[in-house]
Amino acid sequence: MASFALPGQLFGPPLNTSSVSRRRPKFAPSFSSSTPSFNCELSSSSPSSSSQNPKPLKFVTSSEPFKPLDSVSKPLAFSAAAAAILFHLSGGGIVGGNGGGGGGGGGGGDGKGGFWSRIFSPQAFAREEESSQSQEWDSHGLPANIVVQLNKLSGFKKYKVSEILFFDRRRWSTVSITEDSFHEMVSIRPGGIYTKAQLQKELETLATCGMFEKVDLEGKTNPDGTIGVTISFTESTWQSADKFRCINVGLMPQTKPIEMDPDMTDKEKMEYYRSQEKDYRRRIDRARPCLLPMSVHREVLQMLREQGKVSARMLQKIRDRVQKWYNDEGYACAQVVNFGNLNTKEVVCEVVEGDITQLVIQFQDKLGNVCEGNTQLPVIRRELPKQLRQGHVFNIEAGKQALRNINSLTLFSNIEVNPRPDEKNEGGIIVEIKLKELEQKSAEVTTEWNIVPGRNGRPTLASIQPGGTVSFEHRNIKGLNRSILGSVTASNFFNPQDDLVFKLDYVHPYVDGVYNPRNRTFRASCFNSRKLSPVFTGGPGVDEVPPIWVDRAGVKANITENFTRQSKFTYGLVMEEITTRDESSHISPTGQRVLPSGGISADGPPTTLSGTGVDRMAFAQGNITRDNTKFVNGAIVGERDVFQLDQGLGIGSKFPFFNRHQLSVTRFIQLMQVEEGAGKAPPPVLVLHGHYGGCVGDLPSYDAFTLGGPYSVRGYNMGELGAARNILELATELRIPIRNTHVYGFVEHGNDLGSSKDVKGNPTEVYRRMGHGSSYGVGVKLGLVRAEYAVDHNSGTGSLFFRFGERF
Amino acid sequence: MGFMSQTHVSMASQLIREWTGIQQFPSATQTKLLELLGKLKQDNVSTLTILVMGKGGVGKSSTVNSLIGERVVAVSAFQSEGSRPVMVSRSRAGFTLNIIDTPGLVEGGYVNDQAVEIIKRFLLNKTIDVLLYVDRLDAYRVDNLDRQVVRAITDSFGKGIWQRGVVVLTHAQLSPPDGLSYDEFFSRRSEALVKVVRLGARMKKQDSQGSLPVVLVENSGRCNKNESDEKILPNGTAWIPNLVKTIREVVSNGSKGILVDKKLIEGPNPNDRGKILIPFILAFQYFFVVKRIQRAIKNDIAKESKPMWELTSNSILSVN
């Protein structure tokens, strides 16, 4: 038996030319019979083209090129919504034979109760037609309010259609076009202008779509010269079903319809139907199972049970439900293409899910021409979720993930991820990734002149000597995302030794090989920095303590292993020279202290281990971070644990051997379940935080743990509470969302655990600090800034702070 | 400053003079003192170093002068004493007495850490046999400051120094406030002070119970004298022999003198503590912290709620 299908075509196969009325009786007997052998089958090739290469199954929008993914979701959604469904009821069995008899030589498919066709939603076409025909129209030239058969209309006139009504013969009711689920199959629109041929074409389409057993179109003249169109129909129905099955028919070879010889004997026909049926069975068996979950299956079954008879509307509903699930899950290319096995106990829903047949990675030059890329392909491939590889069903979320992952490589200025139909493999999808690479090398020079208050307070240039930054970057070396980055900053280029800040970084990802899923990155860097030591800070009521600057310069090499986007393990070696200086940049081996008499004595706590003001040391450094925090409507929720260790190796001044460790544990506890989604309110969050720091062995003052400050105990200055060998900080914060932001209250405590005296020279005591302290306060988040009022519990006074960033 | 103190020490150690001042004492006192010195020699003690400490203006220097019998340390009633410790050494019949007078430890309501520091440096490589903690009898109250002073002394020389400690109460010749007998006043005052010392020295109840002797002293020239011209306390005891007697008792109470060495001054080097344990700490950190966090990360990865599309592969869901 022939299979007919009409994909992408307004016109059906030649068969459709047989009159509608002729088809009606053929359907009738088939449906009244209880034969289990009806097949409803999709075929994407029309009989007329069966001798040629089978045409690919086309998505309605497949004529348009797919857009880049970031803008693709709409077109994809559209394509899915507008997807064509092709029904093909290939007749079967005995009754089919009868039908065939009745049908005479009208064509094999027809004879078997037939084939039918398609639900098609042709907005696009309609629009096109409208635009081309919206000029002028002819009056019908007939008396008003008479019913005119389609074939009575004049072939030379352009009729304006004022309204379109559906008349359901079974229900004996009229509905407006927009209210019935069938409206999507009608391409003519109220207000449009159509010729008789167009209206006939429309009827043709409706008749062959398979939704109707019988369909007629008639006009009713209006006084103003327009006509109203009534489409009267009898909906197709089939025997009730109690089973539902969904199969993925994408990429399956199309069953080649065998032309049925009209001169076949009954026996031959039966033989033929049987083989058809067998073929279909085999097809179902061969088809891959669908992704559709059991829950949707059950839902559909429920629908089938409630309905009794399977009707065309019913099938539409099932199709909508199934496609909705696919769409909701992001399977944007999935389409229900056919319902098979109708008139048996089982409804078989055939879906083309959108299997990926190929993944193409392309590089483009600045003009968008395809070119050879510098980046090695495995670097990109390893960023792609496996769901985007060949053999998986295309999912738009996987595409977005790929886009994000590739973007995080920071190698490309433009990234497109496009799915497009595979023309060689029906129902297949080719995923195309188009990339524009960034310039590999870049260099930059920025200069600045410092302005300082001069004589009479007038602003003057500090000097004519310029300061600024010189930086260069060499990215993506060897196409493996290795990079070298260097920068030099000085406030005076003519005298750079004063305050030169330099940095040189080398990053080497994929240490274990680009094909190895283990993600380890090697980093080496030279650095220097200058910081004010919070160890040499006075307690409350202590006048200005002469500051100590800690300069560090050295090299560092480490390996970072990323477990997840946030959790990672870093280990490496650091070699550095630490120099402590006083305000006037002189090397200072001890801190200064203010004597009660007001004088300054230089015999404060020692600043370095060596006692000379310059320490050199090498040590191993490790850091493991576990972070599973995520955002729930903008509020951070989850757990974060960080353990950091500096292990002295006995290499350096005074052979420093130490174990300096810190563990910080933070919990963001969501206090209320909330619905997630854009614009929804974030939940209130309770933050619990603990931080322990300790050191065994040699501890120079610059490595002592300090208490107090915005990231330690809020409400105090940096180091105002003390500098100790072991510290414990505890904090809790309650965040309550208000409008677009949140307010919070917090309580914090920091304690030196009595270990201040174990820092050489006891800087905590020398600078009259408490060694412990608590604070509490409230605050509000204003964009990036936190405004908070914190009360220092040691003195009982409160003050207002503005801070950038988060405390935790 | 430290430098200057050092020179002072070397100078002072060269200047051991004959203890001539002893002859200034009344003969009864002399006899008693020589007798006590003889007893000390019997105990094989030929050198005695006495450290005198206390708040400012309580009569430390006067006590030193009274004890030596000479005006060796300048005393000024209104001015704070010199900011440096002074050691006075006298020898008599093969016996050497070193008395170290120190500046007051309190300045501006706080213990002057720097003064403590200087005293410590001054005492480097000396052995303290006896500590005289000096305060006034005629002060009525003890406060937190007293405790801090005691604590500063304890922190500097260790708890052990109180085994060799004597509480000296000056200005012993007073008329107690109304309604209190002299003895009652004395016992209350000494009780309160001893309590503070014990607290400041972090002494537990049981250790050295009652072993902190309290001695009364009256340095004033108007001090009452007995028939043998000895300075006596209101209760009739001659105080100088009494003080020396108490010192002798403390010296021979079985405890050891405190050798002030570098370690004592700087305290145990906290950088050396526990160094030997570092390999074990490291192993512990690796196996019980790093490994545990790694496990938790693995757990997180397993538990991570993945979107539907990441879970579904073609084989997972099947239809009937």
Side-chain angles (χ1 to χ4, degrees):
Chain A
M1 170 179 175
S3 310
F4 299 105
L6 317 145
Q9 275 178 283
L10 270 175
F11 278 110
L15 239 185
N16 299 343
T17 55
S18 61
S19 84
V20 174
S21 57
R22 215 156 46 94
R23 299 183 69 233
R24 197 190 315 153
K26 283 168 223 148
F27 268 83
S30 349
F31 293 143
S32 59
S33 80
S34 57
T35 0
S37 50
F38 269 86
N39 288 337
C40 184
E41 191 181 314
L42 162 87
S43 144
S44 62
S45 55
S46 67
S48 54
S49 63
S50 62
S51 53
Q52 309 152 6
N53 288 336
K55 268 194 194 165
L57 167 71
K58 277 199 179 162
F59 303 95
V60 168
T61 52
S62 63
S63 52
E64 291 175 36
F66 279 76
K67 296 270 163 51
L69 196 75
D70 39 14
S71 62
V72 83
S73 56
K74 268 184 192 150
L76 277 178
F78 171 70
S79 84
I85 293 199
L86 300 158
F87 289 97
H88 182 204
L89 182 62
S90 56
I94 302 135
V95 182
N98 293 341
D110 189 28
K112 273 64 211 186
F115 85 86
W116 47 289
S117 66
R118 58 200 252 137
I119 301 171
F120 181 52
S121 95
Q123 284 94 333
F125 289 81
R127 236 177 277 129
E128 208 175 281
E129 279 170 275
E130 266 171 74
S131 63
S132 63
Q133 295 177 359
S134 58
Q135 325 92 338
E136 279 169 26
W137 52 278
D138 304 317
S139 169
H140 49 70
L142 293 168
N145 293 325
I146 61 162
V147 173
V148 192
Q149 294 297 315
L150 181 56
N151 50 14
K152 298 275 169 52
L153 291 173
S154 162
F156 305 105
K157 282 185 174 172
K158 291 178 185 166
Y159 292 98
K160 178 161 183 168
V161 176
S162 63
E163 61 167 351
I164 298 164
L165 294 173
F166 271 111
F167 179 69
D168 187 337
R169 284 189 195 150
R170 202 161 279 155
R171 294 187 194 164
W172 208 253
S173 62
T174 306
V175 279
S176 156
I177 179 160
T178 49
E179 284 162 33
D180 198 277
S181 59
F182 287 132
H183 78 271
E184 62 181 49
M185 286 169 301
V186 182
S187 66
I188 58 172
R189 288 286 168 268
I193 295 153
Y194 305 97
T195 61
K196 179 184 178 183
Q198 279 172 325
L199 292 174
Q200 266 171 338
K201 215 189 274 176
E202 181 71 23
L203 180 61
E204 219 55 87
T205 312
L206 290 173
T208 54
C209 76
M211 298 294 292
F212 309 112
E213 264 172 48
K214 182 188 169 186
V215 63
D216 273 317
L217 192 150
E218 53 192 23
K220 187 169 155 272
T221 56
N222 289 331
D224 60 357
T226 59
I227 57 166
V229 170
T230 305
I231 297 164
S232 55
F233 61 89
T234 310
E235 186 188 356
S236 301
T237 52
W238 298 267
Q239 182 186 354
S240 64
D242 57 6
K243 271 195 258 168
F244 176 71
R245 181 203 288 247
C246 192
I247 53 171
N248 183 3
V249 296
L251 308 183
M252 279 181 70
Q254 293 303 327
T255 44
K256 287 268 158 50
I258 311 154
E259 284 296 329
M260 197 165 88
D261 186 353
D263 302 331
M264 270 198 276
T265 63
D266 279 1
K267 205 184 163 195
E268 279 171 332
K269 279 179 189 160
M270 264 172 72
E271 196 78 346
Y272 175 77
Y273 299 139
R274 225 169 262 143
S275 81
Q276 282 273 292
E277 205 187 318
K278 234 166 63 197
D279 281 351
Y280 194 70
R281 279 272 147 228
R282 219 178 294 138
R283 187 174 157 81
I284 293 178
D285 290 342
R286 266 208 322 264
R288 283 160 301 150
C290 271
L291 298 172
L292 202 70
M294 276 320 289
S295 58
V296 181
H297 270 269
R298 272 193 292 271
E299 229 177 281
V300 170
L301 267 182
Q302 188 66 27
M303 280 159 72
L304 283 170
R305 266 187 216 124
E306 277 168 14
Q307 189 73 23
K309 268 194 176 172
V310 176
S311 68
R313 279 196 180 99
M314 181 71 202
L315 292 179
Q316 263 186 327
K317 255 162 84 185
I318 294 174
R319 177 206 63 186
D320 289 346
R321 178 67 195 100
V322 171
Q323 287 201 161
K324 181 180 180 313
W325 180 83
Y326 277 103
N327 267 325
D328 291 351
E329 295 299 323
Y331 298 103
C333 296
Q335 292 169 1
V336 173
V337 291
N338 195 19
F339 283 101
N341 241 15
L342 294 172
N343 263 3
T344 64
K345 287 273 169 196
E346 186 177 56
V347 171
V348 176
C349 175
E350 296 181 9
V351 183
V352 171
E353 294 189 319
D355 298 274
I356 297 168
T357 50
Q358 213 184 333
L359 179 75
V360 182
I361 299 173
Q362 264 180 11
F363 294 99
Q364 294 180 326
D365 61 16
K366 277 177 188 161
L367 301 170
N369 303 319
V370 175
C371 65
E372 209 169 293
N374 168 52
T375 312
Q376 295 198 18
L377 291 184
V379 172
I380 297 153
R381 280 225 178 85
R382 62 179 290 142
E383 297 300 327
L384 303 176
K386 75 168 196 288
Q387 285 76 9
L388 217 55
R389 300 206 191 129
Q390 192 180 334
H392 289 84
V393 176
F394 176 77
N395 189 299
I396 202 151
E397 293 303 324
K400 286 180 188 166
Q401 185 69 51
L403 198 70
R404 281 194 293 269
N405 289 357
I406 297 173
N407 193 37
S408 68
L409 290 173
T410 63
L411 290 177
F412 307 103
S413 61
N414 190 34
I415 306 159
E416 287 178 17
V417 178
N418 305 331
R420 73 172 162 84
D422 186 347
E423 279 164 19
K424 295 197 185 104
N425 274 306
E426 243 164 63
I429 298 283
I430 297 177
V431 177
E432 256 180 5
I433 297 174
K434 292 181 185 168
L435 305 162
K436 268 186 200 155
E437 290 183 317
L438 283 169
E439 207 62 52
Q440 249 184 297
K441 293 176 192 174
S442 65
E444 211 175 312
V445 180
T446 55
T447 56
E448 61 187 54
W449 274 267
N450 297 320
I451 294 174
V452 294
R455 236 186 273 168
N456 305 328
R458 244 181 269 135
T460 38
L461 277 179
S463 61
I464 48 165
Q465 297 142 338
T469 305
V470 179
S471 64
F472 72 92
E473 192 173 359
H474 192 167
R475 260 187 297 259
N476 205 3
I477 300 165
K478 283 192 166 179
L480 286 167
N481 202 9
R482 297 169 191 171
S483 65
I484 295 180
L485 186 147
S487 74
V488 176
T489 307
S491 65
N492 178 1
F493 275 137
F494 297 137
N495 229 351
Q497 66 273 19
D498 286 355
D499 63 343
L500 192 74
V501 177
F502 61 87
K503 206 177 165 183
L504 184 67
D505 277 340
Y506 172 67
V507 184
H508 182 122
Y510 321 120
V511 174
D512 300 288
V514 72
Y515 292 102
N516 194 323
R518 201 169 176 194
N519 185 1
R520 291 201 295 176
T521 302
F522 172 79
R523 269 190 188 84
S525 56
C526 298
F527 61 90
N528 81 345
S529 69
R530 164 170 280 208
K531 277 184 191 151
L532 196 61
S533 172
V535 173
F536 299 90
T537 306
V542 174
D543 293 337
E544 201 75 350
V545 168
I548 290 288
W549 290 93
V550 179
D551 289 358
R552 290 169 189 259
V555 291
K556 188 152 78 169
N558 60 38
I559 288 179
T560 302
E561 177 164 10
N562 291 312
F563 299 114
T564 69
R565 217 153 259 290
Q566 295 154 305
S567 298
K568 60 187 174 207
F569 186 21
T570 304
Y571 40 92
L573 282 175
V574 183
M575 271 186 283
E576 60 179 355
E577 182 182 87
I578 299 111
T579 314
T580 50
R581 296 174 193 275
D582 62 14
E583 271 171 301
S584 42
S585 274
H586 296 303
I587 293 176
S588 167
T590 56
Q592 296 169 325
R593 59 165 147 197
V594 182
L595 298 177
S597 57
I600 286 182
S601 141
D603 62 346
T607 54
T608 50
L609 203 60
S610 63
T612 59
V614 181
D615 273 1
R616 291 197 182 120
M617 62 166 88
F619 59 91
Q621 196 169 51
N623 180 318
I624 184 163
T625 302
R626 170 196 171 224
D627 188 342
N628 65 8
T629 55
K630 56 176 197 244
F631 285 98
V632 176
N633 298 341
I636 196 165
V637 169
E639 305 180 354
R640 188 189 296 138
D641 301 326
V642 181
F643 178 70
Q644 182 165 347
L645 174 68
D646 297 342
Q647 174 62 53
L649 303 171
I651 304 170
S653 331
K654 283 225 170 175
F655 312 105
F657 186 52
F658 56 89
N659 178 293
R660 186 176 183 266
H661 45 270
Q662 300 184 63
L663 176 67
S664 88
V665 176
T666 314
R667 296 284 174 272
F668 300 89
I669 303 163
Q670 184 175 350
L671 295 178
M672 207 169 72
Q673 283 306 316
V674 293
E675 209 184 319
E676 286 186 50
K680 299 264 169 54
V685 173
L686 178 70
V687 188
L688 300 177
H689 172 82
H691 175 218
Y692 171 78
C695 182
V696 178
D698 295 316
L699 179 73
S701 73
Y702 49 80
D703 273 343
F705 296 98
T706 55
L707 286 168
Y711 299 101
S712 172
V713 184
R714 284 178 270 188
Y716 298 92
N717 295 329
M718 284 275 279
E720 187 185 329
L721 290 174
R725 179 174 281 267
N726 304 306
I727 57 154
L728 181 66
E729 291 165 1
L730 297 170
T732 176
E733 182 172 296
L734 181 64
R735 297 173 175 172
I736 310 279
I738 282 185
R739 295 206 187 147
N740 298 329
T741 177
H742 65 256
V743 295
Y744 56 91
F746 62 87
V747 180
E748 303 195 337
H749 176 74
N751 202 307
D752 68 355
L753 306 172
S755 67
S756 282
K757 64 177 188 327
D758 297 333
V759 179
K760 262 203 156 182
N762 200 345
T764 301
E765 202 182 310
V766 167
Y767 299 119
R768 304 247 167 88
R769 291 177 282 188
M770 287 285 282
H772 56 85
S774 308
S775 68
Y776 55 90
V778 291
V780 61
K781 188 115 196 275
L782 306 165
L784 284 174
V785 180
R786 283 183 293 134
E788 62 194 22
Y789 182 81
V791 177
D792 152 353
H793 204 253
N794 283 353
S795 67
T797 55
S799 36
L800 190 65
F801 296 90
F802 289 92
R803 309 244 188 241
F804 273 101
E806 284 289 343
R807 156 75 169 91
F808 304 106
Chain B
M1 262 166 205
F3 177 69
M4 286 174 67
S5 317
Q6 293 290 331
T7 37
H8 187 89
V9 170
S10 51
M11 273 164 63
S13 52
Q14 287 159 5
L15 292 168
I16 302 174
R17 287 201 212 138
E18 187 67 15
W19 189 1
T20 49
I22 199 165
Q23 287 154 8
Q24 306 295 317
F25 293 131
S27 55
T29 304
Q30 279 191 40
T31 322
K32 282 178 199 160
L33 288 181
L34 289 171
E35 188 186 328
L36 285 167
L37 292 184
K39 277 186 184 167
L40 277 169
K41 281 187 94 174
Q42 275 174 21
D43 298 344
N44 272 334
V45 180
S46 59
T47 317
L48 199 59
T49 308
I50 299 169
L51 175 66
V52 184
M53 291 185 93
K55 294 187 283 189
V58 291
K60 291 187 295 293
S61 301
S62 305
T63 308
V64 170
N65 289 343
S66 303
L67 210 52
I68 300 282
E70 293 171 44
R71 213 182 132 77
V72 281
V73 202
V75 178
S76 52
F78 301 104
Q79 221 180 332
S80 68
E81 325 88 286
S83 53
R84 305 193 298 268
V86 178
M87 182 156 95
V88 183
S89 301
R90 293 291 180 272
S91 65
R92 174 90 186 182
F95 183 87
T96 314
L97 181 66
N98 302 315
I99 302 184
I100 302 161
D101 186 25
T102 63
L105 293 179
V106 175
E107 188 167 317
Y110 285 102
V111 172
N112 186 346
D113 296 321
Q114 211 189 354
V116 175
E117 205 63 33
I118 290 167
I119 295 169
K120 268 168 35 178
R121 296 232 180 99
F122 181 82
L123 292 173
L124 188 62
N125 297 327
K126 294 190 173 64
T127 304
I128 302 164
D129 295 307
V130 176
L131 167 73
L132 298 186
Y133 179 72
V134 184
D135 204 346
R136 296 171 71 122
L137 177 64
D138 58 356
Y140 298 126
R141 229 169 256 139
V142 289
D143 55 23
N144 202 29
L145 190 59
D146 295 292
R147 213 172 78 199
Q148 278 177 30
V149 173
V150 174
R151 176 157 297 170
I153 296 169
T154 315
D155 288 347
S156 304
F157 306 108
K159 250 159 77 169
I161 195 142
W162 296 103
Q163 301 278 347
R164 292 283 182 130
V166 177
V167 175
V168 174
L169 295 174
T170 57
H171 300 81
Q173 190 168 294
L174 63 86
S175 37
D178 294 345
L180 274 180
S181 73
Y182 183 86
D183 286 339
E184 209 175 335
F185 179 80
F186 165 64
S187 68
R188 279 213 197 163
R189 170 76 180 139
S190 58
E191 213 171 89
L193 202 60
V194 167
K195 200 174 151 197
V196 153
V197 171
R198 298 181 70 92
L199 215 64
R202 299 192 190 87
M203 278 196 265
K204 289 182 194 117
K205 283 247 168 73
Q206 63 270 24
D207 55 49
S208 59
Q209 189 85 45
S211 75
L212 196 63
V214 183
V215 183
L216 289 170
V217 161
E218 179 54 70
N219 296 314
S220 162
R222 277 167 285 132
C223 183
N224 294 337
K225 291 179 181 169
N226 62 7
E227 61 281 6
S228 21
D229 209 30
E230 288 176 302
K231 288 182 176 176
I232 56 160
L233 300 170
N235 63 6
T237 339
W239 68 264
I240 292 176
N242 184 40
L243 177 59
V244 178
K245 186 169 155 253
T246 312
I247 289 170
R248 202 229 116 189
E249 277 164 16
V250 167
V251 169
S252 39
N253 71 357
S255 60
K256 273 190 179 167
I258 307 296
L259 173 68
V260 181
D261 54 13
K262 207 165 170 137
K263 201 173 158 192
L264 190 70
I265 289 178
E266 293 183 348
N269 186 352
N271 286 348
D272 289 335
R273 204 195 308 152
K275 245 185 189 175
I276 207 162
L277 296 174
I278 287 177
F280 302 101
I281 294 170
L282 191 62
F284 174 85
Q285 284 162 342
Y286 182 72
F287 290 109
F288 293 95
V289 182
V290 173
K291 284 280 166 196
R292 179 170 286 190
I293 294 177
Q294 269 178 337
R295 269 203 303 278
I297 292 172
K298 277 202 188 109
N299 236 351
D300 286 343
I301 295 171
K303 272 200 298 192
E304 197 181 1
S305 61
K306 286 188 176 158
M308 194 45 195
W309 62 268
E310 261 184 63
L311 293 175
T312 43
S313 78
N314 290 349
S315 56
I316 293 176
L317 293 170
S318 62
V319 183
N320 297 337

